[in-house]
């Protein structure tokens, strides 16, 4: 019998199949493809570095109370009972793990974003929790959660397109952008390169667009993945209201 050749699976499908069959990822991890995005937007490029930077104590012995944004894989979601029933989330990025407790009401509010085995972004305060009879663990007291699309829309600064050698694709680009035009959106920049010269063009203000995932996917199919870049601003860590009150009282 002659063997039939089949194309290699894309990485995300291969990893999903590994998890489905083996119960864990074998040849890699889905979060690796998101490292650059996490490093560009979040308070630290990894959970380990976020813990090192923001989970210490002040000279006065008080715990830092800084709101941070972390990006990680939602490795586990389980229900807990007792005095504080809710859901316990385990965030993992292969450098460290964070545990995050939320009540059922908060879980319902963010249920669409908090599916197991997906990338999630969470903002909150970090702390090292020590309880009698238990191992110490790092916890994130999360206030907000975002999926990738929500984070991109929130932190987007500009949409940069690269156009090479000719204007044949311009009508199709205009069609793609036109569907998502939004005066509250981000500006569109075009790097045009024709082999002998290059220029950066900014479309007029009435061509600002909402950076929806569907728009980005369509433009990447049209121009190529490397020709479409959504520029994002870094999350700015702010002291919590409690921290501000403590500083004001000193």
């Amino acid at each position: 019998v002659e063997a039939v050749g089949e194309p290699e699976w894309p990485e995300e499908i291969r990893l999903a199949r590994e998890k489905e069959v083996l119960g864990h990822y074998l040849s890699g991890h889905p979060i690796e493809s998101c490292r650059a995005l996490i490093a560009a937007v979040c308070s630290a490029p990894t959970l380990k570095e976020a813990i090192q930077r923001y989970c210490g104590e002040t000279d006065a012995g008080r715990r830092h109370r800084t709101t941070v944004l972390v990006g990680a894989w939602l490795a586990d979601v389980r229900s807990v009972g007792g005095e504080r029933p809710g859901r316990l989330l385990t965030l993992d990025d292969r450098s460290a793990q964070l545990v995050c407790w939320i009540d059922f009401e908060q879980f319902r509010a963010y249920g669409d974003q908090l599916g197991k085995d997906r990338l999630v972004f969470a903002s909150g305060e970090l702390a090292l929790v020590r309880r009698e009879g238990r191992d110490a663990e790092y916890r994130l007291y999360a206030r907000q959660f975002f999926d990738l699309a929500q984070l991109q829309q929130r932190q987007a600064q500009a949409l940069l397109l690269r156009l090479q050698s000719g204007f044949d694709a311009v009508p199709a680009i205009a069609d793609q952008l036109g569907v998502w035009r939004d005066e509250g959106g981000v500006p569109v920049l075009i790097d045009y390169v024709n082999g002998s010269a290059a220029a950066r063009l900014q479309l007029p203000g009435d061509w600002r667009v909402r950076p929806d995932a569907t728009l980005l996917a369509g433009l990447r199919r049209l121009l190529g993945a490397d020709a479409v870049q959504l520029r994002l601003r870094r999350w700015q860590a702010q002291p919590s209201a409690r921290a501000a009150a403590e500083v004001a009282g000193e």
Side-chain angles (χ1 to χ4, degrees):
V1 177
E2 184 178 352
V4 178
E6 292 289 342
E8 291 286 336
W9 281 335
E11 183 180 21
E12 65 272 14
I13 295 179
R14 184 185 71 249
L15 292 172
R17 295 289 188 268
E18 290 175 358
K19 184 66 181 290
E20 180 182 351
V21 174
L22 302 174
H24 62 272
Y25 300 109
L26 181 65
S27 61
H29 195 284
I31 201 170
E32 296 301 335
S33 63
C34 306
R35 292 289 188 192
L37 176 95
I38 293 171
V41 178
C42 293
S43 303
T46 66
L47 293 183
K48 182 177 180 180
E49 291 189 45
I51 290 168
Q52 291 172 342
R53 291 184 194 179
Y54 301 106
C55 202
E57 293 182 345
T58 65
D59 294 337
R62 294 173 176 169
R63 181 172 63 83
H64 286 303
R65 295 187 181 277
T66 303
T67 300
V68 300
L69 178 75
V70 299
W73 203 248
L74 185 48
D76 190 37
V77 180
R78 58 190 177 92
S79 298
V80 292
E83 297 179 358
R84 299 182 67 198
R87 296 292 175 94
L88 208 59
L89 315 179
T90 301
L91 305 179
D92 189 324
D93 75 342
R94 309 189 83 185
S95 74
Q97 285 191 344
L98 283 176
V99 176
C100 178
W101 176 90
I102 59 175
D103 61 30
F104 287 117
E105 182 177 348
Q106 190 178 15
F107 184 79
R108 283 194 296 270
Y110 290 103
D112 292 342
Q113 292 100 290
L114 299 181
K116 186 179 175 182
D117 288 327
R118 67 172 61 178
L119 179 66
V120 64
F121 296 88
S123 66
E125 295 178 354
L126 293 172
L128 177 61
V129 178
R130 296 185 178 92
R131 288 192 172 89
E132 186 175 353
R134 298 183 182 180
D135 294 334
E137 63 181 7
Y138 290 104
R139 287 210 170 195
L140 176 70
Y141 293 90
R143 299 191 183 95
Q144 289 181 295
F145 295 93
F146 312 97
D147 60 23
L148 177 58
Q150 291 169 332
L151 185 82
Q152 287 179 328
Q153 292 195 25
R154 184 186 181 100
Q155 300 298 115
Q157 286 184 307
L159 176 60
L160 177 61
L161 308 178
R162 183 176 178 85
L163 185 62
Q164 291 183 293
S165 301
F167 295 94
D168 293 344
V170 169
I173 293 174
D175 289 342
Q176 293 271 0
L177 297 176
V179 176
W180 300 99
R181 287 171 69 171
D182 186 334
E183 63 180 12
V186 298
V188 178
L189 309 175
I190 297 179
D191 279 350
Y192 175 67
V193 182
N194 67 5
S196 60
R200 173 163 293 180
L201 314 172
Q202 179 168 338
L203 298 190
D206 58 349
W207 276 90
R208 296 174 74 93
V209 296
R210 181 156 50 93
D212 188 89
T214 303
L215 169 63
L216 299 178
L219 290 170
R220 285 171 179 144
R221 285 193 298 270
L222 178 65
L223 301 175
D226 295 336
V228 180
Q229 178 186 0
L230 183 62
R231 293 192 163 182
L232 303 170
R233 67 175 65 88
R234 184 176 298 278
W235 178 276
Q236 294 297 316
Q238 299 292 333
S240 68
R242 189 188 305 177
E246 289 176 354
V247 171
E250 290 180 352

